[in-house]
Amino acid sequence: MLDIQTLRKDLPAVVAGLKRRGVEFDEAGFRVLEDERRTLQSRTEELQAKRNSLSKQIGALKGKGEDASAVMAEVGGLGDELKANEVRLAALQESLTAFLRVIPNVPRADVPDGKSSDDNVEQRRGGTPRTFDFAVKDHVDVGAALGGLDFDTAAKLSGARFTVLKGGVARLHRALGQFMLDVQTQEHGYTEVYAPYMVTGECADGVSSLAKFKEDLFKIEGRDLYLIPTSEYPVTNFMRDTIVEAKELPLKFACHSPCFRSEAGSYGKDTRGMIRQHQFDKVELVQIVHPDQSVQAHEELTSHAEAILKKLELPYRVMLLCTGDTGFASARTYDLEVWLPAQNAYREISSCSNYEGFQARRMQARFKNDKGKTEPVHTINGSGLAIGRTLVAILENYQNADGSVSVPSALAPYMNGTTRLEKA
């Protein structure tokens, strides 16, 4: 949620920032609510001051033995108006909060302007795409030949956009999750956590706008619970309604979980294979940091996600998202895109975002600064990595002419020494 104090002090800057991402801020609607709040608050403060003054008069009159009933009646009338004002102020505050909760974050100044992914800016590349001396197959054909990808059985069980993994491919999928967690916890200082796969509507609204994106989630019928689209939802909410000391920051968590997405509006896109699924696994990285450290922490977390691609020797590139492609809650986002030879293209495998204080204000996640005052923490998160898409990248980049797939050397210890997946 945007900082209300920034809106009050520098509304034109916020309006201009939102316009960069194609959002027209309702200035008139905001000013109506804010002007009424300011007027009512000013009147309330006047009444409180007057009541305090009259209360002193009552004490003085009683001290002199004089009749204070008229003044007491006046104080009673003020009390009635103050109570009415308190009720109206609370309602106004709710209206302001509801107004702000559907407004996206303001992009940082160094986020490039643009309308879509076509305007994202490449930052760097890692690795070189392999040159094949045989006809490259996509992961669907490679996995099916190995007897490891079964979309027909998955469709019988659950419908489209699900996959059953078998044999060595299932083992490779499991190995990837363990490998990713070990790298992040043993080399990069993250604490491994295991979190619920369902969260309340309040938690879902804490990391993004539930009102705007409810259709993207799977709702549990009859309950205020949603299947998580990423473990960012439960893990970031560890900090909800919490105040920590500055010395406790940063907090760094790594969580492996399944993720569930309705893929609303994506029908017709990536219908073949495992690129866009209703259920997939991911290792999520979350950092809770001091505001002064969030820019640096964002770069650090992105490098931690990159480390997985480097160790697996998968070609990739890092893209800085433009204003039109940056997510609702993010102030700045890097996408990591892995090379898929069958598509002859780079495809997203991780998004690493700096939300600054946007999520923290929604969740009331705060820390005590050096002056003893509370202020929002900054939150950063990213995939380290999406396991299904990493599996796709390995099947395509490590395929051999005979239909087998070589196992990346980094994964051999997690595969009981297996170095190659053979055709079924």
Side-chain angles (χ1 to χ4, degrees), residues 92-168:
L92 273 174
Q93 187 57 54
E94 287 184 9
S95 296
L96 270 169
T97 299
F99 178 92
L100 292 177
R101 290 188 87 86
V102 296
I103 305 298
N105 205 351
V106 176
R108 291 182 61 86
D110 58 353
V111 173
D113 289 336
K115 296 182 179 179
S116 70
S117 59
D118 294 336
D119 301 312
N120 295 340
V121 179
E122 184 175 320
Q123 303 296 292
R124 57 187 175 273
R125 294 193 180 198
T128 303
R130 173 184 168 191
T131 300
F132 292 85
D133 57 6
F134 58 91
V136 173
K137 296 179 180 179
D138 73 1
H139 70 281
V140 177
D141 291 335
V142 173
L146 292 171
L149 294 184
D150 186 348
F151 297 100
D152 292 338
T153 298
K156 181 171 65 175
L157 298 174
S158 309
R161 296 186 189 272
F162 290 93
T163 309
V164 168
L165 305 180
K166 297 178 179 178

Side-chain angles (χ1 to χ4, degrees), residues 6 17 27 54 114 158 160 171 174 188 218 222 237 262 305 390:
T6 301
E27 290 185 71
L54 291 175
S158 309
R171 176 71 178 269
R174 172 161 56 95
H188 300 146
F218 283 111
N237 271 283
S262 71
T390 308

Side-chain angles (χ1 to χ4, degrees), residues 91-326:
L92 273 174
Q93 187 57 54
E94 287 184 9
S95 296
L96 270 169
T97 299
F99 178 92
L100 292 177
R101 290 188 87 86
V102 296
I103 305 298
N105 205 351
V106 176
R108 291 182 61 86
D110 58 353
V111 173
D113 289 336
K115 296 182 179 179
S116 70
S117 59
D118 294 336
D119 301 312
N120 295 340
V121 179
E122 184 175 320
Q123 303 296 292
R124 57 187 175 273
R125 294 193 180 198
T128 303
R130 173 184 168 191
T131 300
F132 292 85
D133 57 6
F134 58 91
V136 173
K137 296 179 180 179
D138 73 1
H139 70 281
V140 177
D141 291 335
V142 173
L146 292 171
L149 294 184
D150 186 348
F151 297 100
D152 292 338
T153 298
K156 181 171 65 175
L157 298 174
S158 309
R161 296 186 189 272
F162 290 93
T163 309
V164 168
L165 305 180
K166 297 178 179 178
V169 174
R171 176 71 178 269
L172 185 61
H173 183 270
R174 172 161 56 95
L176 280 167
Q178 293 174 311
F179 164 70
M180 292 174 186
L181 281 174
D182 282 352
V183 169
Q184 304 304 347
T185 57
Q186 296 173 17
E187 298 183 23
H188 300 146
Y190 289 84
T191 298
E192 181 176 350
V193 294
Y194 175 80
Y197 300 162
M198 293 174 272
V199 295
T200 64
E202 184 178 11
C203 285
D205 196 55
V207 297
S208 188
S209 171
L210 184 60
K212 275 184 170 290
F213 303 110
K214 184 180 290 188
E215 295 305 311
D216 295 333
L217 306 178
F218 283 111
K219 174 80 165 57
I220 306 300
E221 186 175 358
R223 300 200 176 199
D224 178 31
L225 288 173
Y226 295 83
L227 292 175
I228 60 172
T230 162
S231 54
E232 168 197 357
Y233 274 52
V235 176
T236 308
N237 271 283
F238 287 178
M239 281 291 298
R240 182 162 57 91
D241 296 324
T242 299
I243 300 173
V244 298
E245 298 292 336
K247 64 183 180 182
E248 297 179 52
L249 302 176
L251 300 173
K252 298 166 64 174
F253 302 109
C255 184
H256 175 198
S257 77
C259 305
F260 306 91
R261 299 187 183 180
S262 71
E263 295 296 345
S266 71
Y267 294 97
K269 299 179 181 178
D270 295 311
T271 55
R272 178 174 169 84
M274 294 179 64
I275 296 296
R276 198 179 295 273
Q277 299 267 281
H278 288 312
Q279 175 184 315
F280 61 94
D281 277 42
K282 187 150 65 80
V283 170
E284 190 75 2
L285 307 178
V286 173
Q287 291 198 26
I288 313 295
V289 304
H290 190 287
D292 292 346
Q293 301 299 317
S294 70
V295 172
Q296 177 184 338
H298 185 209
E299 298 296 327
E300 175 188 81
L301 183 143
T302 303
S303 74
H304 295 160
E306 279 184 80
I308 302 298
L309 292 165
K310 290 178 179 178
K311 289 176 182 292
L312 294 175
E313 300 181 79
L314 291 169
Y316 70 94
R317 66 180 184 179
V318 180
M319 305 293 289
L320 176 59
L321 301 196
C322 70
T323 52
D325 201 32
T326 299

Side-chain angles (χ1 to χ4, degrees), residues 16-37:
L18 291 172
K19 194 168 186 178
R20 291 181 61 213
R21 62 187 298 166
V23 175
E24 293 293 333
F25 184 81
D26 183 6
E27 290 185 71
F30 174 73
R31 290 187 189 280
V32 167
L33 290 171
E34 183 61 11
D35 288 348
E36 184 178 355
R37 180 204 62 80

